[in-house]
């Protein structure tokens, strides 16, 4: 199994650019990131090249995060801003060699009818997919649980899958976050099996605490074995919040790798 350290949630004790070296020092060859846009892509590329790291995922710009915004795609009156976010995301993805871009939907305001938001969302996803396909990039959408992100538009994996099928875009896929599925009360392996053909990327954090594997209730060894047995060959993004120091949050992996007789990071 390939594991990708999320440098937006792990190694946050260090400045952003220093986190890539931290990941390498702990033996990883894959990383992912939420929002790299405060740092020039050239500076990130230098780190990736020098450290021989692959960046597998990043998010499109999602509005003003500090003000609680979690995406732009459901807002019909913010199309220009969405286009600029899309252009910026593609620019970074191409510079950094990132194959997957996650488009966050947004938090649904009380005065915005859900059906109207969905119509806008589907238009934006279709538009983004059409832009990305020219560059060989994949657009991912992710159901997120309402406990961690109250009011987020997309919480239902059935709805997400239906949107993907209705759009018929081959480069629109699911981002399957095991933590969010568990918090939504889903059987994470059975649900993965149901939607495996639509899944482009998997993320993991233990539940309910969203910390490293072994700190919660999820049988992570069995889940990883299941993913491998069912042919998932992408990276598993480690989008967890370390329960202590980041450098001490990989005990689970050393044990896991020892049990498997080796393995890749």
């Amino acid at each position: 199994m390939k594991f990708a350290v999320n440098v937006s949630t792990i190694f946050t004790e260090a400045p952003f650019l220093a986190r890539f070296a931290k990941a390498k020092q702990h033996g990883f060859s894959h990383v992912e990131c939420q929002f790299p846009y405060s740092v020039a892509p050239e500076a990130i590329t230098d780190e990736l090249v020098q450290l021989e790291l692959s960046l597998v995922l990043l998010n499109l710009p999602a509005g003003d995060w500090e003000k609680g915004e979690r995406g732009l795609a459901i807002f019909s009156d913010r199309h220009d801003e969405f286009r600029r976010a899309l252009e910026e995301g593609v620019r970074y993805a191409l510079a950094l060699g990132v194959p997957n871009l996650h488009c966050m939907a947004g938090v649904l305001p009380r005065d915005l009818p859900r059906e109207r938001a969905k119509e806008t969302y589907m238009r934006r996803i279709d538009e983004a997919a059409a832009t990305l396909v020219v560059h060989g990039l994949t657009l991912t959408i992710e159901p997120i649980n309402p406990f961690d992100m109250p009011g987020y538009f997309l919480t239902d994996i059935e709805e997400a899958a239906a949107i993907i099928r209705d759009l018929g875009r081959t480069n629109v896929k699911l981002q399957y976050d095991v933590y969010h599925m568990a918090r939504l009360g889903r059987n994470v392996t059975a649900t993965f099996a149901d939607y495996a053909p639509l899944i482009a990327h998997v993320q993991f954090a233990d539940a309910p605490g969203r910390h490293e594997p072994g700190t919660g209730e999820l049988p992570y060894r069995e889940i990883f074995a299941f993913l491998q047995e069912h042919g998932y060959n992408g990276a598993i993004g480690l989008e967890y919040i370390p329960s202590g120091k980041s450098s001490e949050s990989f005990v689970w992996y050393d044990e896991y790798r020892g049990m498997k007789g080796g393995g890749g990071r």
Side-chain angles (χ1 to χ4, degrees):
M1 301 297 292
K2 295 180 293 188
F3 294 90
V5 172
N6 191 307
V7 295
S8 297
T9 64
I10 303 174
F11 298 124
T12 57
E13 302 93 335
F16 179 75
L17 282 177
R19 299 173 196 174
F20 296 95
K22 295 283 187 182
K24 187 68 174 183
Q25 289 164 11
H26 283 78
F28 291 90
S29 58
H30 297 80
V31 289
E32 64 176 27
C33 178
Q34 293 174 348
F35 304 103
Y37 304 106
S38 63
V39 178
E42 295 80 9
I44 302 173
T45 299
D46 287 345
E47 293 298 310
L48 296 175
V49 171
Q50 291 177 18
L51 297 167
E52 298 182 322
L53 290 171
S54 295
L55 184 59
V56 299
L57 174 82
L58 55 84
N59 291 346
L60 292 176
D64 192 331
W65 197 267
E66 296 302 318
K67 292 183 178 179
E69 294 185 341
R70 298 294 183 266
L72 304 167
I74 63 172
F75 302 106
S76 61
D77 60 345
R78 301 182 72 176
H79 184 224
D80 289 345
E81 190 176 351
F82 178 82
R83 284 297 310 176
R84 290 193 295 271
L86 179 59
E87 291 169 1
E88 185 78 336
V90 169
R91 183 170 75 90
Y92 270 73
L94 295 177
L96 304 176
V98 180
N100 301 306
L101 280 165
H102 171 216
C103 179
M104 297 190 72
V107 174
L108 185 68
R110 292 185 178 181
D111 60 352
L112 177 58
R114 181 173 179 81
E115 282 306 310
R116 187 183 304 169
K118 185 174 181 178
E119 290 173 3
T120 302
Y121 179 61
M122 292 184 68
R123 286 198 300 270
R124 297 293 178 265
I125 295 300
D126 189 61
E127 177 182 356
T131 299
L132 266 59
V133 75
V134 175
H135 304 287
L137 302 174
T138 295
L139 186 76
T140 64
I141 61 175
E142 176 189 20
I144 295 176
N145 82 78
F147 308 106
D148 288 55
M149 201 170 286
Y152 189 71
F153 174 79
L154 190 65
T155 61
D156 188 339
I157 193 168
E158 282 81 12
E159 181 177 27
I163 287 171
I164 291 171
R165 289 170 176 148
D166 288 345
L167 289 175
R169 293 278 187 180
T170 58
N171 67 325
V172 180
K173 298 291 184 179
L174 284 170
Q175 186 165 308
Y176 189 84
D177 191 308
V178 172
Y179 168 76
H180 289 306
M181 288 299 106
R183 292 287 280 142
L184 287 163
R186 306 301 295 258
N187 180 308
V188 297
T189 52
T191 307
F192 177 90
D194 287 342
Y195 297 102
L198 298 179
I199 295 171
H201 186 66
V202 172
Q203 292 178 316
F204 189 93
D206 214 332
R210 203 172 188 177
H211 303 309
E212 64 270 20
T215 57
E217 301 172 356
L218 294 178
Y220 67 90
R221 299 179 189 87
E222 290 83 355
I223 292 171
F224 295 156
F226 178 90
L227 294 175
Q228 193 166 26
E229 290 165 3
H230 282 71
Y232 178 71
N233 57 10
I236 297 177
L238 300 175
E239 196 186 36
Y240 64 72
I241 301 167
S243 60
K245 294 181 179 178
S246 295
S247 60
E248 297 173 355
S249 70
F250 302 113
V251 173
W252 66 273
Y253 187 78
D254 294 331
E255 177 190 344
Y256 172 79
R257 186 169 56 167
M259 291 174 61
K260 300 297 287 185
R265 292 189 179 190

